[in-house]
Amino acid sequence: MGSSIAGNRRASGLEKIRSHMDKWLGLYVGLMIVIGLAAGYRDVGWVQHHVQALQLLEIASIYVMIFPMMLMLNVRALGSAFKNYKLVLAVVLLNFAYGPLMAVLLGGLFVANPFARFGLFIAWLVPCSSMSIGYVGLMMADISAATAMVALSFILSLAVIPLEASLYISVMVHQVRGVALTGRAVSSIEVGLFMTIIEVLLAPLVLAIPIREAMMRRMGQARFREVSPLFPTLTMLGMMMIIFIIFFAHAGVLISHIMDVLGIFYSAMVFGTVSLTVLTVLFKYVGLNKRGESRYGSAMVAILTGVPKNEATAIAISTLALSSLGPQAAFLTSMPPSLLPAFQVVFIITFLKLRDRVMKYYGERGVEVIERGRAAEMGILEAARGAMAMLVPVDFSRGTDEWVVNGLGRLSSYARIGRVRLLYVIPLGLSEVSEFITDNIISEGRKAAEAKMRELVGAVRSKVIGLGGVDLDYEIVVGDPASIILDRASAGGFDAIMMGHRGYGYVEDLFVGSVTLKVVSRSPIPVVVIRKSV
């Protein structure tokens, strides 16, 4: 038990760091920009004498930012990417057609400098990141489809980004008044783009795939999940580091391009508002779902893997691709993707906080089945080729008996349930309190949980029709709830998890750390989420 608690403490600590970074990413990006500008403008002479050192630090930061992101990319999800061709088409068009076209339109309206416009184009050409999977989970939509779309978009981007960026350069940049690019310069940029894709995307991906597989074999899935929050944290730290370096090294240049900064701000505001509003309405009437599926789930996957962008990758590409034209051109190109994370976070938070209203707009209510569109393949409808074994974590909060009865009743109406295990985790595995918990406290907690569990078992047996021959038991353990639930799911023996969700707002779900969200995002088996009545 000691090693388990130690593992839970490590996982809890990493989760807290990651949650903190997610919560305050926009603020930290803004601080890096302000501090970098202030320090760089104050020490222009020092910057000029250490250009090479700053360039080396910039490159190092890029790889710190990119490689952990590659470790989190689930390439295996590509196998399920093409089960819904309408969703695939929508995500591809949003990432590689709609985003670039909006960059051309809004950049032409609001941004004067052609290099800054090109940076905006790169920022909205680069597809989504793995954070989109978390966004989809928060919207109670199809996690598995989102994982497949993220993997597919990234693989396609290896070819699409250099091709579309080269087309943009040949058609737009060298024809702009005031920018004289020779044919040799254009060719140099195009070669730089292809080499940058190879250096910062393809090579790290090729290296990360076997490393990820080796780590999972050596550590096991449960331990890999414990350390996995470290990877996005490193990516965010690397991104903040490179943003600081970019603005520190080019503070003097930025001051003279303040109107372009405002233009990027206006472009981001229009892009975020129009995209999220129009696409939410559009996909309600132009359904991306397969027959028998909810339009809401597919719509949220398309929107949240098509509109948010992987600005970390965009920063890396824009920083290196135009380096042949000198540091000023490279800085102006990297400026838009460096500024956009602060704006993007605002729009995504706002959209996620409107989740319940969006669900109501789509007619979603009551029971939400995560991965509903792939239920038959994954085991929700035909689990275990027969009777389904369900793991049902509970917390004894108000309304627990209602959502358990409601959920099992609904599931038993279209799938045969053979076994149900109610799981209660006494949440005493947190590092802040576990050292102060005595055996007497744990014993008292178990006694209280036993009494409540017996009441719950009785209620379930008496109220759910169709559970007469079901093997219904329970388990009470001590530890971190999310880690324990995921361990039980990984150990086998269950076909699906059913969990309750109170329907709180985005802030409570993401910032406080929803157990349901963590399980939905990382479970190796399907998860059914039942809306609790509050």
Side-chain angles (χ1 to χ4, degrees):
M1 180 175 176
S3 60
S4 175
I5 292 179
N8 290 337
R9 290 179 182 176
R10 288 191 295 268
S12 177
L14 291 174
E15 285 286 356
K16 287 179 182 178
I17 295 172
R18 180 186 176 181
S19 297
H20 178 82
M21 297 292 290
D22 283 342
K23 175 180 179 179
W24 301 109
L25 179 61
L27 175 62
Y28 284 135
V29 168
L31 284 175
M32 291 300 101
I33 293 172
V34 172
I35 295 172
L37 283 174
Y41 194 72
R42 183 177 182 275
D43 295 315
V44 175
W46 188 94
V47 171
Q48 292 175 346
H49 285 87
H50 296 82
V51 173
Q52 290 185 340
L54 289 172
Q55 288 176 343
L56 290 174
L57 188 58
E58 192 173 86
I59 293 172
S61 299
I62 286 174
Y63 287 105
V64 169
M65 176 176 62
I66 291 295
F67 188 72
M69 185 169 58
M70 298 300 176
L71 289 173
M72 291 301 294
L73 184 66
N74 185 6
V75 181
R76 293 182 178 181
L78 283 172
S80 61
F82 297 98
K83 293 184 179 295
N84 184 343
Y85 74 91
K86 290 188 290 185
L87 178 60
V88 170
L89 180 61
V91 171
V92 170
L93 289 176
L94 286 175
N95 276 305
F96 303 119
Y98 172 75
L101 286 174
M102 288 291 283
V104 171
L105 175 62
L106 296 176
L109 288 175
F110 299 120
V111 183
N113 185 274
F115 294 114
R117 288 202 297 271
F118 181 54
L120 188 66
F121 181 84
I122 291 292
W124 289 345
L125 170 61
V126 169
C128 56
S129 71
S130 58
M131 291 181 68
S132 291
I133 301 172
Y135 299 150
V136 170
L138 284 167
M139 293 298 285
M140 295 300 160
D142 192 336
I143 292 288
S144 180
T147 303
M149 292 305 105
V150 168
L152 175 64
S153 299
F154 178 82
I155 296 301
L156 290 177
S157 73
L158 297 176
V160 174
I161 290 175
L163 290 176
E164 288 199 21
S166 297
L167 178 63
Y168 179 93
I169 292 169
S170 61
V171 173
M172 301 291 293
V173 173
H174 73 288
Q175 296 178 354
V176 177
R177 184 175 59 187
V179 179
L181 292 181
T182 64
R184 178 178 296 180
V186 172
S187 298
S188 177
I189 296 173
E190 292 173 345
V191 171
L193 277 167
F194 279 97
M195 293 304 298
T196 299
I197 295 296
I198 293 173
E199 292 174 5
V200 305
L201 295 183
L202 185 58
L205 176 63
V206 171
L207 185 61
I209 290 175
I211 291 178
R212 174 191 169 97
E213 294 299 318
M215 290 177 67
M216 293 188 71
R217 284 196 302 270
R218 184 177 180 84
M219 303 169 64
Q221 288 188 359
R223 179 71 181 118
F224 184 80
R225 281 196 305 270
E226 287 180 6
V227 302
S228 62
L230 177 64
F231 304 140
T233 301
L234 288 175
T235 292
M236 286 185 278
L237 289 174
M239 182 174 72
M240 287 188 288
M241 185 64 185
I242 194 172
I243 288 173
F244 169 80
I245 295 170
I246 287 171
F247 286 91
F248 174 71
H250 304 282
V253 177
L254 181 68
I255 298 301
S256 61
H257 289 82
I258 193 66
M259 295 306 298
D260 289 314
V261 174
L262 293 176
I264 294 166
F265 169 76
Y266 298 147
S267 300
M269 295 299 104
V270 174
F271 179 76
T273 304
V274 171
S275 300
L276 295 176
T277 303
V278 172
L279 293 176
T280 299
V281 175
L282 175 66
F283 291 145
K284 179 183 179 182
Y285 298 100
V286 181
L288 303 177
N289 54 304
K290 294 188 294 185
R291 181 175 297 179
E293 297 177 4
S294 165
R295 291 193 174 192
Y296 171 81
S298 298
M300 293 306 103
V301 172
I303 292 170
L304 292 171
T305 61
V307 175
K309 298 298 181 178
N310 189 342
E311 302 300 355
T313 301
I315 292 170
I317 295 173
S318 58
T319 300
L320 299 179
L322 268 69
S323 58
S324 61
L325 299 184
Q328 181 169 331
F331 164 69
L332 291 172
T333 306
S334 64
M335 183 171 64
S338 299
L339 292 169
L340 287 174
F343 306 139
Q344 179 171 278
V345 167
V346 173
F347 281 101
I348 297 303
I349 287 177
T350 302
F351 187 69
L352 295 176
K353 289 184 71 173
L354 294 172
R355 178 188 60 206
D356 289 345
R357 295 186 181 183
V358 175
M359 293 183 72
K360 184 177 180 180
Y361 175 69
Y362 274 80
E364 291 285 310
R365 58 178 61 87
V367 179
E368 294 113 30
V369 181
I370 304 304
E371 302 171 322
R372 184 192 321 241
R374 302 180 59 241
E377 304 94 83
M378 296 175 53
I380 292 293
L381 297 180
E382 299 176 0
R385 297 186 179 88
M388 182 165 57
M390 297 289 300
L391 178 65
V392 184
V394 296
D395 61 3
F396 302 130
S397 60
R398 182 166 58 91
T400 295
D401 57 338
E402 295 178 6
W403 73 258
V404 172
V405 169
N406 180 30
L408 290 176
R410 292 287 296 271
L411 288 175
S412 64
S413 67
Y414 58 81
R416 188 161 65 90
I417 299 176
R419 181 164 67 96
V420 175
R421 171 163 294 176
L422 302 176
L423 172 66
Y424 176 67
V425 183
I426 301 174
L428 301 181
L430 300 178
S431 58
E432 309 90 80
V433 299
S434 59
E435 295 179 358
F436 304 98
I437 300 302
T438 65
D439 291 339
N440 288 337
I441 294 177
I442 295 176
S443 178
E444 291 299 320
R446 282 186 180 277
K447 289 179 181 178
E450 286 276 355
K452 292 181 179 180
M453 188 66 85
R454 285 193 293 270
E455 292 179 8
L456 181 59
V457 169
V460 171
R461 285 200 180 279
S462 63
K463 295 181 181 179
V464 179
I465 300 174
L467 288 185
V470 172
D471 179 12
L472 178 62
D473 61 8
Y474 64 85
E475 181 181 9
I476 298 173
V477 294
V478 178
D480 175 64
S483 299
I484 296 294
I485 295 167
L486 290 170
D487 285 344
R488 296 298 186 272
S490 301
F494 296 102
D495 300 299
I497 301 172
M498 186 180 78
M499 300 188 69
H501 178 72
R502 290 188 180 87
Y504 291 152
Y506 171 72
V507 174
E508 289 84 354
D509 277 345
L510 184 59
F511 295 172
V512 175
S514 167
V515 173
T516 301
L517 173 61
K518 292 176 185 177
V519 174
V520 166
S521 301
R522 301 177 186 182
S523 173
I525 60 177
V527 180
V528 182
V529 180
I530 307 300
R531 173 65 56 84
K532 295 182 182 180
S533 59
V534 181

